[in-house]
Amino acid sequence: MSWRSAQPPWAGARGRSWAVRDRAVRVSYAAFLRIPDDGCYVLVHNRSRPGAYGPPGGVFKFFEPGARVLDQLGFRPERPAARGAGTRSDVRGLLPRRSLRGFRAWFDSGTYREDAVECLNRELGEALAESGFAHVASDLGGSAFRPVRTVVEGPYAVPGVSWWQVRRFEIHELVATTAAAARLRHRVLELAADPAVPSVIGATTEDIIHGRCGPALVAPPTAYLIGDRRLHPDLPPLR
């Protein structure tokens, strides 16, 4: 598995001066699933960015004991009204910059939070259910995932807001090591190939680089399925 620390080319200044050390930092730590097939990658509709598609996955969630740890770090969860209760316990929010090292140490310890398998199983199950195919998720219990790469963006200044930002993206690939996993992969690929299922599509490498797959926008983090560089600026989410 590869690891890279990156900064989007359109981001603001990056630095560690005393003047910004105590500025708030937005953190967002997520895992995404790569399901390749014959030069295409499975993408699902992104509810928080209507019209955009990205890989199955999303931010990790912390467990109840983790809330106490995060409270001590001054963490303030981000809960957009448009996304409802589904964002509860997300590892996404603001914290004082001075707490960033402690936050990273907590996350890297793996305590009181989902691991990648738990996160990806939950997120893929939710995506299938939202698309009307909850029955396909019955094979999730037998899934295995291979780490591909981890990319960390920031910390960097975000234009137009007072806080800085750090984002971590873990990319894992679905591995068909069991009959259940092979069946799950086959069913998901069938959905992506079916024009009657608009919520699941297959995008080529060229689509991802271009930023569109037919009329569908490709969410910028999708670029991490094929490499360690982001190619397009963010799409604003619903609030």
Side-chain angles (χ1 to χ4, degrees), residues 83 95 101 110 126 153 206 230:
R83 302 184 210 175
L95 75 161
R101 180 176 295 180
E126 290 175 359
E153 297 179 349
E206 290 74 20
R230 182 187 282 256

Side-chain angles (χ1 to χ4, degrees), residues 81-196:
R83 302 184 210 175
T87 60
R88 185 177 180 84
S89 301
D90 281 357
V91 182
R92 177 174 51 207
L94 295 174
L95 75 161
R97 185 180 173 94
R98 63 180 178 274
S99 296
L100 185 55
R101 180 176 295 180
F103 173 82
R104 284 171 164 164
W106 164 76
F107 188 88
D108 289 343
S109 74
T111 57
Y112 307 140
R113 67 165 178 86
E114 292 178 320
D115 59 24
V117 173
E118 292 168 321
C119 177
L120 292 171
N121 276 329
R122 174 181 55 78
E123 288 283 352
L124 181 56
E126 290 175 359
L128 290 170
E130 290 167 4
S131 300
F133 299 97
H135 62 283
V136 176
S138 61
D139 287 318
L140 275 171
S143 301
F145 306 106
R146 176 180 66 85
V148 176
R149 67 178 58 88
T150 295
V151 180
V152 178
E153 297 179 349
Y156 59 86
V158 180
V161 297
S162 61
W163 36 261
W164 286 38
Q165 183 160 252
V166 175
R167 292 194 289 188
R168 172 181 169 131
F169 301 91
E170 293 186 14
I171 308 300
H172 298 256
E173 185 165 308
L174 178 64
V175 181
T177 55
T178 66
R183 192 163 52 243
L184 173 66
R185 183 177 184 277
H186 177 71
R187 289 174 172 174
V188 171
L189 290 174
E190 282 186 330
L191 295 177
D194 188 346

Side-chain angles (χ1 to χ4, degrees), residues 10-82:
W10 52 87
R14 181 176 182 176
R16 303 180 182 277
S17 69
W18 288 98
V20 300
R21 193 169 65 178
D22 288 332
R23 182 168 294 183
V25 177
R26 179 183 183 267
V27 293
S28 178
Y29 279 30
F32 289 105
L33 185 57
R34 187 171 78 172
I35 308 176
D37 181 60
D38 194 25
C40 287
Y41 299 88
V42 173
L43 306 183
V44 297
H45 186 248
N46 189 324
R47 286 197 309 160
S48 66
R49 294 171 174 82
Y53 289 71
V59 294
F60 290 87
K61 288 189 179 293
F62 57 85
F63 304 133
E64 185 58 35
R68 294 192 291 272
V69 176
L70 292 172
D71 283 345
Q72 293 172 355
L73 293 171
F75 177 77
R76 289 179 287 152
E78 180 181 294
R79 294 178 182 167

